[in-house]
Amino acid sequence: MKISNELKVGITIVVAITIFIFGVRYFEDLPLFQTTYSLTAEFDNAAGLIAGNLVRVHGVSVGSVNAVGISDETGKVEVQFHVDRKIIVTEGSYAVVSGIDALGAVRMDLFLGPRDAAPIPEGGLVGAGEGNDLFGDLTARAPAMVQKFDDVLSGLDQVLSETGTMLSEPNSDLRSSLASVRGSVAQLERLLTEERTRISSILRNVEDATGSIKTLSAENGPSVTKLISDLSVTMATLDKELISLGDASRGLTELLNKINEGQGTLGKLVNDPSMYHKMDSTLTGINALLADFKANPGKYLGEMKLVDLF
Amino acid sequence: MLQYAKNLLFDPIQALGRYSQLLFKAFGAVPEFNTYRKNLWEQMIHVGIDSMPIVMLAAAFSGAVTTVQTSYQLVSPLIPKSIIGSIVVPSMVLELGAVVTGFILAGRVGARIAAELGTMRVTEQIDALEAMGLNSIGYLIVPRVLAGIVMFPVLYVAACFVGIGGGMLVGHFGGFVPMGVFVDGAREFFQPFDPIFGLIKCLVFGFIITSVSCFKGYYTRGGAEGVGKATTEAAVASCVLLLFADLILAATLL
């Protein structure tokens, strides 16, 4: 069968139209055969969102932006977009514009509401949410950061220029410090050169000493061990002694406390002043007696009949 | 000398006038569908379907080359690979799909039309048609221009399809960018107006190439040499005008 020219042309045109429509839908991220679900969102700031940008749910592309414009009534940015019919956008969903405008990668993130809530009708309004994405924050904070960075850089610049001045001025502190450091280093070097032999002999001696210690400890290993064990036994004994000494001192403390509190004979002796007074008066009496005895021995001795005794 | 300057100044204007006159007559002949019906299908085959392989070949290679060269130029690690798709698809849809096809048609179809009509003119076949009472413009020019206007968008769709597909395949199998990433990047920056703009370009290019070639062929003078001259001029003028039209359209519509 010969295909007529009309048919050939017709088939080609139909195929072209089909490819065109499906191609455009494909790159618009519209499903090829099913219809989509149109919605509207309002923002205070579209942050560079344009028609064709992707709409994502949990990072998955589910549709794209149809149009972005300023609403006549509210003065806000009105974004018309569509998503797959499979995505059920319920009440409580909200949209966020995220991404960096400078890189051109702006998109709209759609956060779905609870699954059991009523779905938003076709063409309905989705609320705007607060952007919480890193790049958005960075973009918003970039001017302040740049300012700070600028400050830091200018400070650094100043420091560098001052350092330069200090280095170039012959009488500056830095230069003199550097010169003295250099002098010290030179002296140290000289010292090291001059005393090289001594240093090396010192080092050799140290080496010898450590070597001797090593040999000594190797040779007398067992006796050193015994010494240490004996020492540890002694220490243990000493420890015990110390414990009993502690007990003794504790007893002594108790005793002293009792004495202080006036318990017992000794306590009364220490704490009761009446004895002292009594003794005092007794001694006074003895003193008077002795004085009297000195003065008139006869008075007493007469009675004794000393001579009678012998 | 003076005569030469006068020609330099007046010849293009005179040519423009004759061109407009021809177009005016052609538009007047558009309703006479029966005159050119059979010719129209034939021209659509010649202009459209016969050009399909070469157009697709050129488009596939330009798409592939654009992908490879874009990925070669994107060396910054900060720029995602998907940008290759974002560059290749719009360049194909906006520019290459239409212009590459346009150049091929200017060479292939423009030259053919000019040679055909030129030969008919110098062998006095056009005069014979007129003598037979046929409207030669309606019979010869209208089907060719209509075929250009109708078939160029078809070729453009084929060129875009094959070009993007070629770019995608070369990117994928050449290890430059995986297909999914390529498509993601293309979708990220896809403007629904881009392919519409491409179609508008194609309508204009199709009209320019066919009408300029018809004009050059229809007013051929001077035997075989004249036919050769007309053929060359048709191809060159089509290309140059196509480029101007491209710039003007981009500046006004984008």
Side-chain angles (χ1 to χ4, degrees):
Chain A
M1 185 188 110
K2 192 179 179 296
I3 302 172
S4 70
N5 285 351
E6 286 96 323
L7 195 62
K8 273 190 204 168
V9 170
I11 289 169
T12 315
I13 290 174
V14 167
V15 169
I17 289 171
T18 317
I19 290 175
F20 182 77
I21 291 171
F22 281 132
V24 171
R25 279 179 81 85
Y26 180 71
F27 283 116
E28 266 190 294
D29 212 5
L30 291 164
L32 298 189
F33 293 106
Q34 69 193 132
T35 53
T36 54
Y37 184 43
S38 298
L39 290 163
T40 315
E42 275 191 348
F43 295 103
D44 291 327
N45 184 352
L49 197 72
I50 50 169
N53 284 149
L54 300 180
V55 176
R56 296 187 182 190
V57 172
H58 305 310
V60 179
S61 304
V62 295
S64 63
V65 174
N66 295 344
V68 180
I70 306 287
S71 166
D72 291 334
E73 298 154 24
T74 56
K76 285 184 164 190
V77 180
E78 200 177 60
V79 177
Q80 284 165 7
F81 64 100
H82 62 263
V83 295
D84 288 357
R85 283 228 177 260
K86 278 185 281 179
I87 305 293
I88 298 155
V89 185
T90 52
E91 295 287 347
S93 303
Y94 61 96
V96 172
V97 178
S98 51
I100 304 180
D101 187 22
L103 288 184
V106 185
R107 59 175 187 272
M108 199 166 91
D109 282 319
L110 191 62
F111 294 88
L112 297 180
R115 278 183 164 276
D116 46 357
I120 296 176
E122 179 94 34
L125 190 70
V126 177
E130 284 295 310
N132 56 349
D133 102 303
L134 172 71
F135 286 132
D137 283 358
L138 269 180
T139 317
R141 289 169 66 177
M145 276 166 68
V146 166
Q147 180 61 43
K148 271 203 175 148
F149 198 59
D150 209 34
D151 290 350
V152 169
L153 277 181
S154 67
L156 198 65
D157 201 37
Q158 209 178 334
V159 167
L160 279 175
S161 74
E162 274 176 19
T163 315
T165 331
M166 279 167 84
L167 279 172
S168 58
E169 273 179 22
N171 297 325
S172 70
D173 288 349
L174 194 65
R175 260 183 103 94
S176 56
S177 312
L178 279 176
S180 52
V181 167
R182 204 181 303 142
S184 310
V185 168
Q187 272 186 3
L188 194 65
E189 203 175 297
R190 207 176 319 127
L191 190 72
L192 281 173
T193 329
E194 281 169 7
E195 306 287 330
R196 189 180 295 148
T197 47
R198 274 178 66 184
I199 288 167
S200 64
S201 72
I202 288 168
L203 282 175
R204 208 163 29 250
N205 287 344
V206 169
E207 212 174 306
D208 287 350
T210 47
S212 322
I213 289 169
K214 205 167 155 186
T215 38
L216 194 69
S217 59
E219 280 168 7
N220 301 330
S223 55
V224 170
T225 317
K226 175 130 189 353
L227 193 67
I228 286 170
S229 75
D230 283 358
L231 207 59
S232 80
V233 169
T234 316
M235 285 303 225
T237 324
L238 206 61
D239 203 34
K240 269 182 223 151
E241 296 293 330
L242 279 173
I243 288 167
S244 54
L245 196 64
D247 287 346
S249 79
R250 207 157 31 245
L252 203 61
T253 314
E254 256 169 53
L255 190 66
L256 283 172
N257 278 342
K258 277 183 182 167
I259 288 169
N260 267 338
E261 281 159 15
Q263 290 177 10
T265 320
L266 212 56
K268 287 215 172 85
L269 191 69
V270 171
N271 290 301
D272 201 351
S274 64
M275 187 159 165
Y276 165 76
H277 291 307
K278 276 178 188 164
M279 272 173 80
D280 198 39
S281 64
T282 313
L283 284 173
T284 316
I286 287 171
N287 264 346
L289 190 68
L290 279 174
D292 196 32
F293 187 71
K294 263 185 191 163
N296 316 299
K299 189 178 164 183
Y300 301 93
L301 292 174
E303 302 286 325
M304 290 202 50
K305 296 211 196 286
L306 195 71
V307 182
D308 291 352
L309 280 173
F310 299 101
Chain B
M1 187 69 199
L2 195 70
Q3 186 62 39
Y4 178 73
K6 208 172 147 192
N7 287 349
L8 202 70
L9 193 66
F10 284 108
D11 280 1
I13 296 173
Q14 199 181 13
L16 184 67
R18 284 210 307 213
Y19 176 63
S20 318
Q21 200 182 16
L22 184 74
L23 287 184
F24 188 77
K25 282 182 190 165
F27 277 121
V30 169
E32 299 169 28
F33 186 70
N34 279 327
T35 317
Y36 59 81
R37 187 177 58 87
K38 197 161 169 290
N39 255 353
L40 179 63
W41 303 126
E42 213 165 278
Q43 291 306 323
M44 277 180 166
I45 296 282
H46 289 322
V47 172
I49 294 164
D50 289 353
S51 305
M52 204 67 99
I54 180 72
V55 165
M56 283 166 124
L57 186 77
F61 275 90
S62 44
V65 169
T66 314
T67 304
V68 174
Q69 290 187 353
T70 309
S71 71
Y72 163 73
Q73 284 179 301
L74 287 182
V75 285
S76 164
L78 270 180
I79 301 173
K81 288 244 169 160
S82 63
I83 292 296
I84 296 173
S86 327
I87 290 173
V88 172
V89 171
S91 14
M92 209 63 219
V93 169
L94 282 176
E95 179 71 7
L96 292 174
V99 173
V100 167
T101 312
F103 280 139
I104 289 172
L105 286 201
R108 194 181 180 283
V109 174
R112 177 204 169 93
I113 289 174
E116 245 174 24
L117 294 189
T119 310
M120 286 173 93
R121 167 64 72 191
V122 297
T123 54
E124 294 173 0
Q125 290 179 49
I126 290 175
D127 296 332
L129 283 172
E130 292 285 340
M132 280 156 66
L134 267 171
N135 179 355
S136 66
I137 291 172
Y139 186 74
L140 295 175
I141 294 178
V142 172
R144 286 176 171 77
V145 175
L146 278 184
I149 292 173
V150 174
M151 293 316 279
F152 201 119
V154 172
L155 289 170
Y156 161 76
V157 171
C160 286
F161 180 73
V162 174
I164 293 170
M168 219 188 270
L169 287 176
V170 166
H172 187 80
F173 292 107
F176 300 106
V177 52
M179 249 184 233
V181 177
F182 184 96
V183 172
D184 267 0
R187 285 179 171 173
E188 184 88 27
F189 294 94
F190 186 76
Q191 306 274 352
F193 181 67
D194 288 357
I196 306 291
F197 177 70
L199 282 185
I200 294 171
K201 263 189 178 180
C202 287
L203 294 174
V204 175
F205 290 176
F207 173 75
I208 287 175
I209 291 167
T210 47
S211 61
V212 168
S213 307
C214 285
F215 167 70
K216 288 284 178 192
Y218 194 77
Y219 290 115
T220 303
R221 292 277 179 275
E225 197 189 335
V227 174
K229 193 167 160 251
T231 309
T232 313
E233 277 180 7
V236 172
S238 300
C239 287
V240 172
L241 286 175
L242 185 148
L243 287 173
F244 277 112
D246 193 23
L247 179 63
I248 290 166
L249 283 175
T252 50
L253 290 181
L254 282 185

